Amino acid sequence: MSSFFIRDKKIISNSKPGKIKRKGRIYPTKSENIKRKRENIEQLNDEEISSEEDDVYINKKHDFVESDEDDQLTAQEKKVKLAKQYLLDIEKEEKERLETEELDNEVILGRLHDEVLSQAGKLRKKVADTINTKYKSDDYVVLKCKEHKLPITCLTVSTNNYLYTGSKDCTIVKWCLTSMKKVGYIPARHKFKQNENLHATPVMCLAVSPDNKHLASGDDSNIIQIWNPETLAHIFSFKGHRAAVTGLAFCRFTKHLYSSSKDRTVKVWSVEENAYLETLFGHHMAITSVDALSKGRAVTSGGTDNTVRVWKIQEESQLIYNHSRSIDGVKRLDDHHFLSYGDDGSVCIWAVTKKKPLHVISKAHGLDLSCKEPRWICSISCISNSEVFASGSCDGFIKLWKCNDNFRGASLVADVPIVGFVNALAFTSNGEKLVVGVGQEHRFGRWSRIKEAKNCIVIVHVKK
């Protein structure tokens, strides 16, 4: 009788004692393993260690000791340690913001109070009374550079007072809002054809993470590029969309990246883990923009499908809000309210819990006399968790608006003179400045041109 097991048994019986032969490999016995380990240890002890290796060994030992100390702490002691470090970080940030070496405890208490309300989605700042109503030439700072010869298409502001701008030149430029100077740039791909990570088409969207560690950019291709905001070095790329990327937004709680595309999908990415998480389906036409609401929620505009959708990502559900015409963009006011705008010239104020807009500002920038149609709203921005927002078109003015206490109305606060297409708007984190991306053409096309305008970035001081 012959079988696999009988043949295997014969092989074992014919093999030499002390070594086991299986599948053509010879394995050492236990005594040989012990002898080999002893020889390795003696060889390591006899080797000389250079000064550099000694330093590395000491550093590793020091790190190991610190980790042991953390392990010996109780849960309560760890919480106290983290709280002290958090307070030191807040104190450092406030000193940098106020440009002072001494800080009052009331400033830290106010910051902590705002943080708690913000995480609960209940923070409300009333800043309309601090906004300038009249503007002079002294209130403007114009930024220009040779990398942005074509119209500005998008911009984003970091919490550490840096500005990142994209244009139809396929370039990204970094500016310092303290010195008002250019500090770096990412060139276009046509200048360095071998570098596949550079943009070969106009940069259409930018977003910087809340911790200022990642800068995301998208263009007319289907790839999202992730950069180091400090050095502007490329980190990695996200591939998955099948059409142009139209919007990017970071969630300030989970630090996930939301991306919208003309392929009618929203994708969720983990930047810290360099990983794709999931895809959200629902829109019937190309998605034009995306923004992050509260934890695990995003809001998108569906362009010509005339809908706005709020995605409850954890619950795997969505809320649909119908609009009268095509929607070009959405913007978060707070965790429970958002704005939408489009080619019908209206700005809508929405509540997450209501299917219809709380208030509609019709013909927000007047009529275009050449075609008797409302002027197209090009961009919008809000002072986060406040009642103030700004809208831009091509009528020569940026309009600053104030929402009513119940968000069921809005009134005009000020007109800011700006010549050209206002393709991008963003307030700084403290709400003191409004950053404007101006172009001679609309960011989406070249059907109209304002010759008097200049392709540049304008910084407006909006606080009194």
Side-chain angles (χ1 to χ4, degrees):
M1 181 179 177
S2 62
S3 69
F4 173 80
F5 299 101
I6 292 175
R7 288 198 300 272
D8 201 13
K9 188 174 181 181
K10 289 179 180 179
I11 292 171
I12 294 172
S13 61
N14 294 331
S15 59
K16 294 181 180 181
K19 295 186 179 180
I20 302 172
K21 184 175 181 182
R22 291 190 184 96
K23 297 182 181 181
R25 294 182 64 184
I26 299 176
Y27 294 88
T29 59
K30 185 176 180 180
S31 59
E32 289 176 344
N33 278 330
I34 295 172
K35 183 179 179 181
R36 180 168 55 82
K37 288 180 180 179
R38 286 177 179 174
E39 291 175 354
N40 291 336
I41 292 171
E42 290 175 358
Q43 186 178 359
L44 288 172
N45 291 334
D46 293 337
E47 288 181 355
E48 293 183 359
I49 300 175
S50 63
S51 59
E52 293 181 358
E53 291 176 348
D54 196 13
D55 292 338
V56 172
Y57 176 75
I58 292 171
N59 290 333
K60 288 182 179 179
K61 186 176 180 181
H62 180 64
D63 293 341
F64 179 76
V65 172
E66 287 182 349
S67 63
D68 282 347
E69 291 178 356
D70 291 339
D71 292 339
Q72 293 176 1
L73 295 176
T74 63
Q76 188 65 26
E77 289 173 340
K78 287 181 180 180
K79 290 180 180 179
V80 173
K81 185 178 179 180
L82 290 173
K84 289 181 178 179
Q85 184 62 43
Y86 181 63
L87 289 174
L88 290 174
D89 293 341
I90 289 179
E91 185 178 358
K92 182 180 178 182
E93 291 176 3
E94 291 299 321
K95 284 181 178 179
E96 291 177 355
R97 183 178 67 86
L98 299 174
E99 297 180 354
T100 181
E101 295 182 357
E102 296 182 359
L103 197 65
D104 192 358
N105 291 333
E106 293 182 359
V107 176
I108 299 177
L109 289 174
R111 171 72 180 274
L112 291 172
H113 183 260
D114 290 345
E115 290 284 344
V116 172
L117 292 177
S118 178
Q119 291 182 3
K122 298 179 180 179
L123 180 61
R124 299 286 186 275
K125 297 179 181 177
K126 292 189 177 182
V127 298
D129 295 335
T130 64
I131 300 296
N132 281 332
T133 57
K134 295 181 180 180
Y135 292 87
K136 302 177 182 178
S137 58
D138 296 338
D139 298 322
Y140 297 87
V141 177
V142 179
L143 303 179
K144 294 181 182 179
C145 65
K146 62 181 181 180
E147 287 78 21
H148 284 340
K149 293 181 180 179
L150 296 181
I152 308 299
T153 55
C154 56
L155 56 86
T156 184
V157 181
S158 65
T159 55
N160 58 353
N161 223 24
Y162 284 98
L163 167 67
Y164 303 89
T165 58
S167 70
K168 289 186 178 181
D169 301 89
C170 315
T171 58
I172 299 172
V173 178
K174 178 182 178 181
W175 310 81
C176 177
L177 293 179
T178 304
S179 62
M180 297 296 177
K181 293 182 179 180
K182 182 186 76 172
V183 294
Y185 72 97
I186 300 172
R189 187 176 175 183
H190 67 266
K191 294 185 177 180
F192 301 92
K193 294 183 179 180
Q194 295 180 352
N195 192 342
E196 297 180 354
N197 299 321
L198 300 177
H199 290 286
T201 57
V203 182
M204 300 307 295
C205 49
L206 289 169
V208 62
S209 60
D211 57 3
N212 302 316
K213 292 183 179 179
H214 299 92
L215 174 68
S217 62
D219 57 14
D220 284 338
S221 70
N222 57 356
I223 302 174
I224 302 168
Q225 306 292 355
I226 307 297
W227 313 86
N228 184 334
E230 185 176 354
T231 62
L232 298 181
H234 186 264
I235 303 176
F236 52 80
S237 302
F238 282 139
K239 299 179 181 180
H241 281 296
R242 297 183 178 181
V245 180
T246 57
L248 294 167
F250 279 96
C251 178
R252 64 188 186 281
F253 297 106
T254 61
K255 297 181 182 178
H256 290 165
L257 175 64
Y258 304 138
S259 63
S260 61
S261 171
K262 288 184 179 179
D263 64 4
R264 299 176 292 178
T265 65
V266 179
K267 291 187 182 294
V268 186
W269 315 84
S270 175
V271 179
E272 293 183 345
E273 299 176 0
N274 186 12
Y276 157 79
L277 297 181
E278 60 180 311
T279 302
L280 310 176
F281 299 91
H283 280 291
H284 302 296
M285 301 300 291
I287 303 175
T288 53
S289 72
V290 63
D291 204 357
L293 293 177
S294 58
K295 185 178 181 180
R297 289 191 179 190
V299 57
T300 57
S301 56
T304 53
D305 74 357
N306 301 346
T307 64
V308 175
R309 296 175 187 248
V310 172
W311 306 85
K312 299 180 179 180
I313 299 173
Q314 294 179 350
E315 292 87 347
E316 297 183 353
S317 63
Q318 55 183 285
L319 303 174
I320 304 174
Y321 307 84
N322 294 313
H323 201 272
S324 59
R325 285 176 60 176
S326 176
I327 311 169
D328 286 340
V330 288
K331 198 68 179 178
R332 171 189 176 273
L333 262 175
D334 56 38
D335 288 340
H336 306 288
H337 299 87
F338 59 90
L339 304 169
S340 68
Y341 62 95
D343 60 358
D344 61 351
S346 63
V347 179
C348 299
I349 304 173
W350 300 83
V352 175
T353 56
K354 301 292 182 181
K355 286 290 184 179
K356 294 183 178 180
L358 299 179
H359 182 67
V360 179
I361 306 174
S362 301
K363 303 175 184 177
H365 285 261
L367 291 174
D368 188 347
L369 299 177
S370 62
C371 60
K372 305 296 182 182
E373 286 286 331
R375 288 192 176 91
W376 196 340
I377 306 296
C378 301
S379 59
I380 208 164
S381 183
C382 312
I383 298 179
S384 183
N385 298 313
S386 76
E387 79 279 26
V388 174
F389 65 92
S391 62
S393 183
C394 58
D395 61 335
F397 293 95
I398 295 173
K399 294 185 180 292
L400 300 178
W401 306 87
K402 172 189 174 183
C403 296
N404 294 350
D405 292 338
N406 55 4
F407 294 96
R408 292 189 177 275
S411 58
L412 184 64
V413 177
D415 287 327
V416 184
I418 293 289
V419 179
F421 284 90
V422 181
N423 289 328
L425 287 171
F427 284 96
T428 54
S429 57
N430 56 13
E432 294 181 356
K433 300 173 184 175
L434 175 63
V435 185
V436 187
V438 184
Q440 292 180 332
E441 305 164 350
H442 195 282
R443 62 192 294 263
F444 289 142
R446 304 187 64 182
W447 57 82
S448 181
R449 183 179 177 87
I450 301 175
K451 295 182 179 180
E452 299 81 12
K454 296 181 180 179
N455 300 320
C456 62
I457 297 99
V458 180
I459 312 296
V460 183
H461 295 271
V462 295
K463 287 287 185 75
K464 292 181 180 178

